[in-house]
Structure formats: structure tokens, C-alpha cells
Amino acid sequence: MSAVPAPPADPPRPAAEVLAWSRALIGPALRAAVDAMPDGVRAVAAYHFGWQDEHGRPAAGGAGKALRPALALLSAEAVGGSAVDGLPAAVAVELTHNFSLLHDDVMDRDRTRRHRPTAWSVFGANAAILAGDALLACAFASLADAADGGAGPPSAGRSDGVAAAAVRALGRAVLDLVEGQCADVAFEERTDVDVPECLRMAGRKTGALLAASCALGAAYAGAEPPRVGALRRFGERIGLAFQLVDDLLGIWGDPAVTGKPVHSDLRSRKKSLPVVAALASGTRAGDALSRLYLRDGPMSEEEAARAAALVDEAGGRAWARRRARRLKAEAFAALDAAAPADRPRAELRALADLVTDRDH
């Protein structure tokens, strides 16, 4: 008697569908976390997420891509768990990410985020900082509550030990993020920033939380340490590649896509990776960029356009693209080392392609 063939596996979903699924899955838990926040910051957080306007009326603003929670949920599935297993990690990393955005906007004095005025520009810097603090507290609560089944049905992967390790891991990621942000701020006052230290800064500022997203999702699904470590490496390398592409978009991105004015990073004289690579190139274009970029006084739109051309001519744009491609290849090798299930493997690769090919 012949064996009955197994039903075909569901095909991998496109990246956009995965992100929509991630947003829908974490949405109720995010809203519950914000609803439980103190009165003084609840409206600020709801506005930041796009759920309300500045007057507290329901709104449908963009709440972000939900990349980090998608990585957590897929990493849980990749090691044989379910998306529900990874839900506490997914909620925690999205809350942490938005804590960092609220603070970043205050520090950078950015007035636009997700095509709307930033929270600090509407409610004030103090309110935005406090709302970010509250989101970070809720992030740690999401991880700790999971040990009691508070963020979804209990699973074999959830225990007091897993939750404690997860809290430590997220704490380490936040410290790395803060260290990266400190370096980024310090670079504004320096004229001698080199490429290796700029890469270290970006790895901490962006790579640390993406790495934690993958590692925490796998850990909450009960994965063994080697698989957790491999997925952590995948997320770290994708995070650094993501930052390289983000830096390219900060110079050449379409404002309709980025939500920020063209050449915004140049006018603020940000030491982004393409700029630092161009300044360190030893080329005549790099020297001209240094004279333009490192002098005092505001930069006009014409000067910003000239700076963008010099970054390109000095090789900064091409270098950033090459480095992002190399990092993506390293990320895929790390993903394969985790021996993931086929569908989440394909979907993790699709997310990596999405965030590293945005400048083409």
C-alpha cells in the first residue's frame, strides 16, 4: 500500500505581507501596553504610533514597518516554535525601538517622523522623553510577564530562566544602543572620525536591537544556544546593512518615501557611513568634501547638493553599497547555520532583501 503524500507546505509570503502580519499580530499587545501607561504620557505614545491625532481623536497614521517584531516572530518559527511563542519578544523589541525613536527625535531636533510632525514638536521635549521612558519600561514588562503566560499561552520555551535571560539580553542591547547613540552625538563635534569606529557605532545603534529581535524570538521558542547565537548574528549583520542603506537614503532618498527632506543628513552635517568613507578616501573629492562639510555655519541647499555629489565622486556611495551586500551575504550564512525551517528561512531572507535594497 503506497504512502499518502504529505500536503504541500504553504509557500513563503512576500516581505510586505509578512510585515502586515507582524503589525496585526502585535497590535493588540502594543495598544494594551500604551493604554496602561500613565495619563501624562499615554496620549504622546498613542500619537507617536499613529493611533491618535494631537487632539486625541482616532487617526490612521503610519506606525512603522514592524521589522523588528517580524524578525522575532519568524525566528521563533524558524527554530520550530510558533509565532505566539515569539510574541513577548516581538512586543518588547517594538516598544524598545519606539522608545529610541522618541528620544532620537528630541536629540536630533527632527520635526518629521512617518510623514507627520514628531511627538516632541507637538507635545514638547519633556513629554516625548517621558513617553519613551514608559515604552522602555513596558518592553521589559513584556518579557517578564511571559514567564507567567501573561503575553500569550504558556509554552515549553517560556520559563523564569528564559525570561530572566531575555531581560538581560534586552538590557544589553539597550546599553549597546545607548553607546552607539553617544558615539553618534560625539561624532558631530569631531573632525577625525574613521570608518572602523563609525561601523562600530552603527553596529551598536542599529545592529544590536535587530540582533536581539532574532535571538529573543528564538529563545522564547525554546531554541538551543547555538541556534540562538546564529540567529543573533543574522540580525546583527542585517542591522548594520540596514544602517548603511538608511545612511544612503539620508542623502539621496526620496522625501515621499523617507518622510524627511532631501539631503537632510548632509545639511545637519551628520557623520554617516558614506560621508565618513568619502572623507577618508584620500581623493580630491574627499578633500573638497572635508572643506565644505567641516566648516562652521549653516549649509545651503546648493551646498548640500554639492556635498552629495562629492560623497558620490569620492566613492562613499559605492563603498556603502558594497559593504551592505557583503553584510547581507554574511547574514544569510549565519541564518543557514541556524538550520531554520524552510518557510521562515525564505521569509527572513525576503525581509533582509527588503531592507538592504531600498536605495536602488
Side-chain angles (χ1 to χ4, degrees):
M1 186 175 180
S2 60
V4 177
D10 291 334
R13 297 164 293 182
E17 187 176 332
V18 170
L19 293 174
W21 162 76
S22 173
R23 285 192 296 270
L25 194 56
I26 67 169
L30 287 181
R31 287 181 179 267
V34 170
D35 286 345
M37 287 168 57
D39 293 343
V41 293
R42 187 186 307 121
V44 182
Y47 172 86
H48 171 76
F49 278 111
W51 305 331
Q52 295 180 2
D53 67 12
E54 63 271 29
H55 304 294
R57 297 174 301 207
K65 293 182 288 293
L67 171 65
R68 290 155 190 83
L71 291 173
L73 297 171
L74 289 177
S75 293
E77 293 186 336
V79 297
S82 70
V84 171
D85 292 329
L87 188 56
V91 172
V93 296
E94 185 67 356
L95 289 167
T96 302
H97 174 55
N98 283 278
F99 138 78
S100 73
L101 295 182
L102 281 163
H103 284 205
D104 281 356
D105 286 343
V106 173
M107 287 186 287
D108 296 340
R109 314 308 285 178
D110 283 339
R111 293 192 166 271
T112 304
R113 165 77 62 185
R114 298 165 181 162
H115 308 286
R116 335 164 62 205
T118 47
W120 80 265
S121 69
V122 174
F123 296 95
N126 291 341
I129 291 169
L130 290 170
D133 294 342
L135 290 179
L136 184 59
C138 291
F140 285 103
S142 174
L143 296 179
D145 287 349
D148 302 321
S155 76
R158 293 196 200 153
S159 67
D160 288 343
V162 170
V167 168
R168 287 193 295 271
L170 183 62
R172 180 68 258 173
V174 172
L175 290 174
D176 284 344
L177 188 158
V178 169
E179 183 180 0
Q181 183 67 28
C182 287
D184 197 19
V185 171
F187 289 175
E188 295 176 7
E189 306 299 325
R190 290 176 48 192
T191 61
D192 60 343
V193 179
D194 61 29
V195 171
E197 65 180 330
C198 198
L199 285 167
R200 286 194 297 273
M201 177 274 293
R204 290 176 171 87
K205 183 178 176 181
T206 305
L209 191 53
L210 269 75
S213 301
C214 296
L216 291 173
Y220 270 85
E224 306 86 353
R227 299 180 85 185
V228 173
L231 284 162
R232 182 186 298 277
R233 290 192 297 276
F234 167 77
E236 185 273 330
R237 282 155 178 79
I238 288 302
L240 185 49
F242 179 97
Q243 186 60 57
L244 281 157
V245 174
D246 218 45
D247 285 351
L248 290 169
L249 292 173
I251 301 174
W252 294 284
D254 180 353
V257 176
T258 65
K260 294 185 178 183
V262 68
H263 302 149
S264 60
D265 283 358
L266 294 177
R267 286 203 305 277
S268 63
R269 289 182 166 83
K270 185 174 181 181
K271 304 294 195 315
S272 64
L273 283 158
V275 168
V276 172
L279 291 171
S281 65
T283 63
R284 279 194 283 184
D287 293 341
L289 176 66
S290 179
R291 291 191 294 272
L292 175 62
Y293 208 72
L294 304 180
R295 73 184 187 189
D296 294 331
M299 187 181 293
S300 69
E301 181 52 49
E302 292 76 14
E303 289 171 329
R306 173 64 176 153
L310 289 170
V311 173
D312 198 0
E313 185 180 343
R317 189 178 196 174
W319 173 85
R321 284 176 166 169
R322 287 195 305 272
R323 191 67 178 241
R325 287 195 296 269
R326 191 173 94 190
L327 285 162
K328 186 167 74 169
E330 293 174 359
F332 287 168
L335 177 60
D336 289 343
D342 288 343
R343 179 175 171 177
R345 174 183 179 274
E347 292 176 351
L348 285 166
R349 287 178 64 103
L351 289 181
D353 288 335
L354 176 70
V355 301
T356 58
D357 295 339
R358 293 173 294 152
D359 69 311
H360 298 304

